[in-house]
Amino acid sequence: MSTEVDARRAVTPAVTAPAPAARRRSPYPFWFCLPAAVIFFVFFVVPTFSSFFFSLTRWDLTSYEFIGLDNFVNFFQEPALVIGLKNTLIYAVVTCGLKVVLGILLAQLLTSQLIARGFLRSVAFFPVLVSTIGVGLTFTVLMDPSNGLINKSLAAIGIQGPAWLVDPRYALLSVALVDVWKGVGLATVIFIAGIVSIPREYFEASAVDGASAFRRFWHIVLPLSKPAVTTVIILSLIGGLRSFDLIWAMTRGGPGFTSDVIASVIYKQYQAGFYGLSTAGNVVLFILVTAIVFPLYRFLTRQEVDL
Amino acid sequence: MRTRRHLWLGLFGIVLFTVVFLVPFAFILFTAAKTRTEAGELQFSLPTTWTLLQNFGDALRARDYMLIIAFVNSTILTVASVAILVVLSAMVAYVVQRRQSRWNGLINFLVLSGLIIPPAVVPTVWVLQRLGLFKTLGGLILIEVAFGLSFCILLFRAFIATIPRDLDEAAIIDGAGPARLFFKVIFPLLKSVIVTVVIVQSVAIFNDFANPLYFLPGDENATVQLTVFNFQSQFSTQYNLLFADILLITIPPLLLYLFLNRRIVEGMTAGAVKG
């Protein structure tokens, strides 16, 4: 009896007995998360939460005055700022829609038996890695209404090109097109990954049944690459709603305020020293993004088909 | 019949892709090599005289070597942020993947929020100011880390899930503590996903424009993406130098892409699909 107790004492409890083992220090300690958690908390969580408070104040970074919802009232009364809200939605929907449609068509093309397939994939993907500012400035020059390459080429085949960035009606859409040019490569490779993962038997079966290329695309490729579609929609929607770099490089929200989006409004108000108003813009953007992306994500993932 | 159609389709594709995707890059190269007056005409044509190296020199010398300083700043920023990101997010992903606890729900929620929620600009400036980190490279590094964590954690977690737990148990029986277990046993096994994270995040941080604009203003602190505006003014834009600058800041991602094409595409799609 006594020897048994001694033996148990001799061995460290952490190794043998199951009861103390539950209390022993886990090999996966939570302090591993600590450094990341501190950085994330200080530089992301704190600013996000304090933005709700500071959006209700007149603020100069050192002192603030509580003014209730005045900033939001301001935001929605100022026509220039309301345009920003509308433009953000248009921009996000247009870029997202075009990236999905063009991306899946390109992916379909680039997964077929095509010469130089690898080369074409590489070419389409490269703009994803290039500086947005560089792309923006390059296209600003290419889209020059009279001297730009795009309008000159259109004129050569007898089409009078629009004034692109200078025309208030087309400025925002022109920027959106450049965004699609830069981002469609990423959508394409995501779709390619989706299409490649579809089991070959489906295509063989449809070939036996004599399905046309279009029906094969519509009834097999599209439904079975749904997770890829979801990913592209969510990613490009988030990107589109938050977009700032490209618009800033190409139009700075102009002509007038016709191509302003919320992100550029936030920057302009920040530069002008209206910190409270700028933060209110941030809160509006926050609400817009979460109100659109979370429900959409739920909706899209619920409909997914299992392979 | 079928192959011939594919041949034509392929040729058509090559022409179309070249025009749509490569002509803008050719335009950058040609304009960067022109003299100032020729570049000002904005034509898509070969330069009559190639002055590419001279333009590079002029672009680098402009405003007291600002572009060189910017390259140094951007390099420090990219290397430091990516190094911190890799270590810290691998540690979080490891614990979250291995250990089931009631905190996991919260952590997952925070990770998703980090991906989706747009950062609040002015309050972040305020936090940086209170900590004395505003307008410092160190502050910007921490910002880049905070904003990049979510994406990296998702990538690492998916990969760590494929490493068998038997390995952990063997190391524990051999007497390895948590730190040794992770850094000596697990971390070296993450090599391939680390390469992916490094590439994707380097490109993202090197190309970042908005964060340096907000959190690191001032000429002496410029990062490369901000230098292109040096050559652009409302009245006299020096197009040859502007495009020489754009070309210079495009070279690092281009080199990376030429050597690691596969890896980058894999990383981007893996990250995207999991996110």
Side-chain angles (χ1 to χ4, degrees):
Chain A
M1 186 65 198
S2 69
T3 51
E4 207 185 308
V5 173
D6 284 343
R8 211 188 270 170
R9 248 181 228 147
V11 186
T12 48
V15 184
T16 48
R23 254 183 285 121
R24 78 169 181 209
R25 298 210 349 252
S26 160
Y28 314 114
F30 275 120
W31 65 261
F32 269 35
C33 297
L34 202 62
V38 169
I39 294 177
F40 190 76
F41 185 78
V42 172
F43 297 104
F44 186 77
V45 178
V46 169
T48 302
F49 276 102
S50 53
S51 72
F52 292 107
F53 174 73
F54 285 121
S55 66
L56 305 173
T57 64
R58 191 177 289 122
W59 186 31
D60 62 1
L61 289 178
T62 47
S63 64
Y64 59 85
E65 180 195 343
F66 193 79
I67 55 168
L69 290 170
D70 278 12
N71 284 324
F72 292 96
V73 173
N74 244 333
F75 201 96
F76 287 105
Q77 273 175 352
E78 190 76 43
L81 306 185
V82 178
I83 290 179
L85 187 63
K86 198 185 81 185
N87 281 347
T88 306
L89 288 170
I90 297 176
Y91 189 89
V93 170
V94 169
T95 51
C96 177
L98 283 176
K99 279 178 195 172
V100 170
V101 173
L102 292 177
I104 202 158
L105 290 177
L106 283 180
Q108 181 69 11
L109 183 74
L110 295 179
T111 47
S112 59
Q113 301 296 319
L114 205 64
I115 56 163
R117 202 165 62 168
F119 168 76
L120 295 181
R121 277 188 203 181
S122 310
V123 167
F125 187 75
F126 183 56
V128 174
L129 301 175
V130 177
S131 136
T132 312
I133 301 299
V135 167
L137 292 176
T138 306
F139 272 91
T140 312
V141 173
L142 294 176
M143 284 178 160
D144 189 276
S146 48
N147 288 324
L149 176 63
I150 295 178
N151 273 5
K152 285 214 161 166
S153 316
L154 288 176
I157 53 170
I159 300 172
Q160 163 85 51
W164 302 111
L165 302 168
V166 187
D167 188 327
R169 284 172 301 169
Y170 298 123
L172 185 74
L173 291 178
S174 309
V175 181
L177 285 181
V178 178
D179 194 321
V180 173
W181 178 86
K182 186 177 176 343
V184 76
L186 183 59
T188 307
V189 294
I190 294 172
F191 282 131
I192 288 178
I195 291 175
V196 168
S197 70
I198 299 174
R200 293 252 68 88
E201 296 89 65
Y202 289 94
F203 295 106
E204 282 155 17
S206 75
V208 171
D209 292 346
S212 66
F214 174 76
R215 292 187 56 132
R216 208 161 55 224
F217 174 74
W218 194 254
H219 292 291
I220 298 176
V221 173
L222 212 52
L224 291 183
S225 47
K226 198 89 181 263
V229 177
T230 306
T231 306
V232 173
I233 291 179
I234 296 292
L235 274 187
S236 49
L237 212 53
I238 295 174
L241 290 169
R242 289 163 62 158
S243 175
F244 170 72
D245 299 12
L246 199 61
I247 289 165
W248 195 249
M250 295 185 75
T251 65
R252 306 211 165 190
F257 302 104
T258 49
S259 65
D260 256 328
V261 291
I262 296 181
S264 67
V265 168
I266 292 171
Y267 182 63
K268 283 179 179 174
Q269 301 301 333
Y270 166 67
Q271 268 190 322
F274 298 119
Y275 296 140
L277 194 56
S278 170
T279 309
N282 247 131
V283 172
V284 172
L285 185 59
F286 170 88
I287 293 169
L288 196 67
V289 172
T290 43
I292 293 176
V293 173
F294 274 115
L296 190 67
Y297 184 73
R298 281 268 167 83
F299 174 73
L300 288 172
T301 45
R302 212 178 39 209
Q303 295 206 324
E304 256 162 34
V305 190
D306 284 324
L307 279 183
Chain B
M1 180 61 204
R2 197 175 161 72
T3 47
R4 178 175 286 177
R5 219 190 76 194
H6 275 103
L7 184 70
W8 284 115
L9 200 61
L11 286 176
F12 175 72
I14 292 172
V15 173
L16 188 74
F17 275 54
T18 308
V19 170
V20 174
F21 289 108
L22 290 184
V23 163
F25 290 107
F27 182 81
I28 295 176
L29 176 67
F30 293 164
T31 313
K34 285 174 179 175
T35 58
R36 185 173 176 180
T37 36
E38 203 189 356
E41 293 164 13
L42 307 181
Q43 298 300 312
F44 180 68
S45 59
L46 282 168
T48 43
T49 47
W50 283 75
T51 53
L52 186 62
L53 290 179
Q54 196 195 327
N55 288 344
F56 276 165
D58 287 347
L60 288 170
R61 272 191 296 274
R63 308 227 352 228
D64 292 334
Y65 299 93
M66 186 163 155
L67 185 52
I68 293 182
I69 296 169
F71 260 107
V72 174
N73 283 340
S74 280
T75 309
I76 298 173
L77 172 69
T78 310
V79 172
S81 320
V82 171
I84 299 174
L85 265 175
V86 165
V87 177
L88 296 192
S89 51
M91 286 163 75
V92 175
Y94 169 68
V95 172
V96 173
Q97 201 281 321
R98 284 295 198 249
R99 189 168 175 177
Q100 300 302 320
S101 81
R102 61 207 156 95
W103 296 100
N104 280 20
L106 177 72
I107 295 175
N108 287 338
F109 174 75
L110 287 175
V111 167
L112 270 189
S113 316
L115 278 184
I116 294 172
I117 294 172
V121 175
V122 193
T124 312
V125 172
W126 173 71
V127 168
L128 285 170
Q129 254 181 8
R130 295 297 288 272
L131 296 173
L133 290 170
F134 187 51
K135 295 190 187 177
T136 64
L137 203 51
L140 186 58
I141 290 171
L142 292 173
I143 292 287
E144 298 285 7
V145 171
F147 296 171
L149 274 174
S150 294
F151 178 82
C152 298
I153 291 174
L154 286 178
L155 270 185
F156 275 118
R157 198 177 58 185
F159 190 84
I160 290 172
T162 66
I163 299 176
R165 268 164 187 267
D166 304 357
L167 216 60
D168 307 15
E169 275 145 30
I172 294 166
I173 288 170
D174 287 349
R180 283 229 352 238
L181 167 61
F182 177 69
F183 287 104
K184 294 268 175 183
V185 179
I186 304 293
F187 199 71
L189 294 174
L190 304 178
K191 205 152 77 193
S192 75
V193 71
I194 288 174
V195 173
T196 307
V197 169
V198 166
I199 296 168
V200 173
Q201 287 299 318
S202 303
V203 171
I205 293 172
F206 187 80
N207 282 339
D208 189 12
F209 170 70
N211 292 323
L213 181 72
Y214 279 123
F215 308 122
L216 195 63
D219 279 358
E220 72 284 3
N221 289 326
T223 58
V224 288
Q225 304 301 323
L226 297 167
T227 57
V228 288
F229 291 108
N230 280 350
F231 308 104
Q232 202 195 27
S233 75
Q234 206 152 9
F235 305 107
S236 63
T237 298
Q238 291 170 283
Y239 284 103
N240 54 344
L241 299 191
L242 170 67
F243 283 96
D245 191 330
I246 293 176
L247 189 58
L248 281 173
I249 65 174
T250 308
I251 288 174
L254 177 65
L255 287 180
L256 208 60
Y257 191 53
L258 286 180
F259 292 114
L260 296 163
N261 178 337
R262 257 253 155 72
R263 262 296 176 32
I264 296 178
V265 174
E266 261 169 32
M268 291 263 191
T269 43
V273 173
K274 261 116 214 171

